[in-house]
Amino acid sequence: MRISTAVLICALSTLAVAGPVEYHQSKFDTPTDKLDHDVQKLLDSLSLQEKIGQLSQLNINTISIDSWSMNGLNKTAVEYYAETWGIGSFLNQAQDNTTWLLDSRGYAKLVNEINEIYLNKTKHKIPIIYGLDSVRGAHYIKDATIFPAGIAQGATFNPSIVEEANKITAFESSTANVKWSFSPILDISFNKLWPRLYENFGEDPYLTSVLGAAAVIGLQGKFKTDDTKIAASLKHYIGYGGTRTGQDKDNAWVPINYLLDYQVPAYRAAIAAGAATVMTSYSAVNGQPVSSSKYLMDTLLRKELGFKGMVVSDWQEGYYIQQHHYAVKDLYNAVIAEINTGTDMSMTPTDTE
Ligand SMILES: *[C@@H]1O[C@H](CO)[C@@H](O)[C@H](O)[C@H]1NC(C)=O
Ligand SMILES: *[C@@H]1O[C@H](CO)[C@@H](O)[C@H](O)[C@H]1NC(C)=O
Ligand SMILES: *[C@@H]1O[C@H](CO)[C@@H](O)[C@H](O)[C@H]1NC(C)=O
């Protein structure tokens, strides 16, 4: 069939004015400012120390019998972290000395066991939340479905495929008692040397917005009433892909209009699709660490993008602010910087400093 130039121009102009991402509001719940009554009551009854414990996240090896083979839970260690610190969350691949990664049954048992100890040993009996980097399926769960990397998902240009993959990820994670995924990845890079390019949906902000929103809807959907849903975490907020040299974790040097035009839209779309959590980047953007930037964390994320959910740091970010960026003189001030700019939970993740 021959397509006339006029038809082609018409088609292209429809694309150009297609406008913002189309949300299917009936398909998802969004976090709100207002806490449920029972949650508010519980929160009011916590001491400051208990609140700080809830906002700390530790790596699984802190409660494993041996941090290499991880042949089972060290119950004494779980009791310690439950009783003394009331740690709110644990993360990362769990394994044992025979099967390497645990399967869904193994994870479900592990999380149940931790929670049983919390029931026994803590005053308020708040269960922990377990998190995994499920960026292409729940790939840390042995029997879960693995999907292609972000760049290949991007190449489908098909949000329903991305939504479906994330629906399956949520189902398989929640079955394993893993209720939080550190995904989707919404980074956009201008540097072809960056080794993490393949993890992202590509370099187009519109495509990344559409697919990012689809991923969030797949993971979270109607989470208030649907048990098969888990929390998403948009990462790495923000500018992480803007590495100046191409080396991973190198600082971003991004003109602010580029940041707003290219890297922010996907966050705007995924937040509008209900994203419950955001993970911060440990890089500095234009010389300032993201997690100590009032502009990026408060003005942009909270006020302009209207994010009402929870912010989690990336791995050892407190240390990063001090020992990599030298932005503060000690760890205490690193924590203060994170809290003052709005990081809620710290992925510390191997100590209780
Ligand atoms: C279990 O944890 C406790 C407390 O942290 C520690 O003293 C002990 O050595 C650990 N046991 C094993 C077998 O790893
Ligand atoms: C594997 O772990 C189990 C406990 O979960 C233990 O009984 C067994 O001795 C371990 N085997 C090896 C080879 O470490
Ligand atoms: C919790 O306490 C009960 C009753 O004391 C005990 O039977 C059970 O083994 C404890 N659970 C764990 C995981 O320690």
Side-chain angles (χ1 to χ4, degrees), residues 5 7 9 51 90 146 195 203 207 218 242 295 320:
T5 313
V7 169
I9 288 172
K51 284 178 189 162
F90 290 89
I146 309 288
E203 60 186 8
L207 180 66
Y295 168 68
Y320 238 68

Side-chain angles (χ1 to χ4, degrees), residues 27-32 219-227 229-231 274-276:
K27 287 170 78 174
F28 59 89
D29 295 326
T30 47
T32 56
L219 289 173
Q220 296 191 176
K222 310 278 289 172
F223 61 84
K224 289 184 182 164
T225 47
D226 184 347
D227 266 355
K229 295 303 180 189
I230 65 173

